[in-house]
Amino acid sequence: MQTPPTGLEHPSLRFICQRYNKRTRYLTLYNTVDHVPVYSAYTFKRSAGQTCVDVPWMYEPQLSTYSDTDEMQPFPRGYMHMDFEDAQAVLDDYTNAVLYERGTLNPEEHQDEPDDKASTYTLTNVVPMTPDFNNRVWNKQENIIRKRLNNYCRGTAYIVTGITTSGKIIRRENMNRVAVPRYIWSAYCCIDYDNNAPFSERYKFPSFAHYGLNEEEDNNNNNNNNNEVVEISVQELKEFLKKTTFVEQNFRIFVGDCVPGVQ
């Protein structure tokens, strides 16, 4: 809604206007020390959930000191240490991170046009997720949200998806490189929705939120629900994040908390 979340300020955080093929696609707040996005904020596009093929992973020239472009670029082949590696993650950081894979905050399943989908393949939109959480837990929830907004959101839906850090770090060549999230969270706002939707869905409008624990399922534990997704109100998510991560007391995800007519 033209306004980024408030209450997230730190010298290491940089706004990235994610540009691809001559157009702005979405916004990311990026931590140049932890080498992960704090959140990506995007406009949901109705889609059937199909995925791209053969899209190269990209880096962000806006975090480079020598860039002559503000558009995300494919990683060059056979690169050595590059001038942007200090401020952002690179492919090598994930190559040997066997416990984690690249999980996108703005998922291509929530976009429709091929260029919008392709623009999600930048490492500034990626955090380390455990394979079980990424492929089973979080992807399932992304599809639940996609179908819900496809079916019951009549107007524009805005989504913010972010992380809380865990203290765990992916290291490469004896250097701390990429922070591993403890929780992944997301919230959407759709002011114009179907008032005739079933109550089981209607009460989740105009806004709702969810979070999940970014860990592998413990097959030796009879209680395997620890990293299942929890759906809550946006207000409850705000209170949860105030307890679990570094946000200011004035932290707000959406303008007017996504209440119609409130600014």
Side-chain angles (χ1 to χ4, degrees):
M1 293 187 288
Q2 311 302 318
T3 305
T6 57
L8 287 161
E9 284 82 30
H10 192 273
S12 66
L13 302 184
R14 288 272 305 273
F15 281 114
I16 299 173
C17 190
Q18 299 276 20
R19 292 181 56 82
Y20 179 81
N21 201 9
K22 301 181 175 62
R23 277 187 53 197
T24 297
R25 306 292 170 173
Y26 56 102
L27 173 78
T28 296
L29 183 64
Y30 195 78
N31 189 321
T32 57
V33 173
D34 288 344
H35 302 137
V36 286
V38 177
Y39 66 75
S40 283
Y42 57 97
T43 303
F44 174 81
K45 310 291 196 320
R46 285 172 180 78
S47 80
Q50 66 273 32
T51 57
C52 280
V53 292
D54 297 329
V55 177
W57 285 101
M58 292 175 277
Y59 72 95
E60 184 48 68
Q62 293 178 57
L63 298 181
S64 166
T65 53
Y66 303 106
S67 174
D68 58 359
T69 179
D70 61 356
E71 289 205 0
M72 58 182 75
Q73 298 291 317
F75 280 93
R77 292 185 180 276
Y79 64 89
M80 300 298 286
H81 183 92
M82 292 176 288
D83 62 279
F84 54 77
E85 191 168 343
D86 294 334
Q88 62 186 289
V90 295
L91 290 172
D92 285 353
D93 293 324
Y94 286 90
T95 300
N96 296 316
V98 293
L99 298 178
Y100 304 101
E101 57 188 38
R102 292 168 291 214
T104 52
L105 297 188
N106 173 8
E108 59 176 321
E109 292 93 335
H110 286 187
Q111 303 299 329
D112 187 43
E113 295 296 326
D115 279 359
D116 285 337
K117 288 179 176 293
S119 74
T120 67
Y121 283 81
T122 169
L123 288 196
T124 53
N125 182 46
V126 161
V127 297
M129 293 188 193
T130 66
D132 177 68
F133 180 77
N134 186 30
N135 298 313
R136 183 181 65 83
V137 179
W138 197 248
N139 184 257
K140 176 183 175 182
Q141 184 67 17
E142 288 172 339
N143 279 301
I144 288 172
I145 299 302
R146 178 181 61 81
K147 292 174 182 176
R148 180 183 300 159
L149 296 178
N150 274 351
N151 291 334
Y152 305 116
C153 179
R154 290 175 168 173
T156 302
Y158 304 97
I159 299 181
V160 181
T161 300
I163 69 166
T164 75
T165 51
S166 64
K168 296 179 182 177
I169 298 284
I170 293 175
R171 291 173 61 83
R172 176 168 62 87
E173 297 173 358
N174 295 319
M175 293 185 296
N176 290 341
R177 286 296 301 165
V178 183
V180 176
R182 178 167 176 78
Y183 291 103
I184 314 293
W185 57 266
S186 185
Y188 64 80
C189 171
C190 170
I191 297 290
D192 183 10
Y193 61 94
D194 184 357
N195 288 284
N196 295 316
F199 178 76
S200 60
E201 295 294 316
R202 191 168 69 247
Y203 83 92
K204 297 172 182 175
F205 286 92
S207 66
F208 219 57
H210 57 272
Y211 68 87
L213 183 63
N214 180 33
E215 289 186 354
E216 280 294 283
E217 185 176 57
D218 184 358
N219 294 322
N220 297 318
N221 187 346
N222 291 326
N223 181 13
N224 288 332
N225 295 320
N226 289 339
N227 61 347
E228 297 299 328
V229 166
V230 179
E231 284 208 272
I232 52 177
S233 71
V234 171
Q235 183 61 39
E236 288 171 321
L237 176 63
K238 285 168 53 182
E239 296 306 315
F240 173 77
L241 293 177
K242 286 179 182 179
K243 296 174 183 175
T244 54
T245 192
F246 303 105
V247 296
E248 306 289 338
Q249 282 303 305
N250 66 338
F251 175 65
R252 178 178 282 182
I253 299 172
F254 298 113
V255 174
D257 288 331
C258 193
V259 177
V262 177
Q263 295 295 319

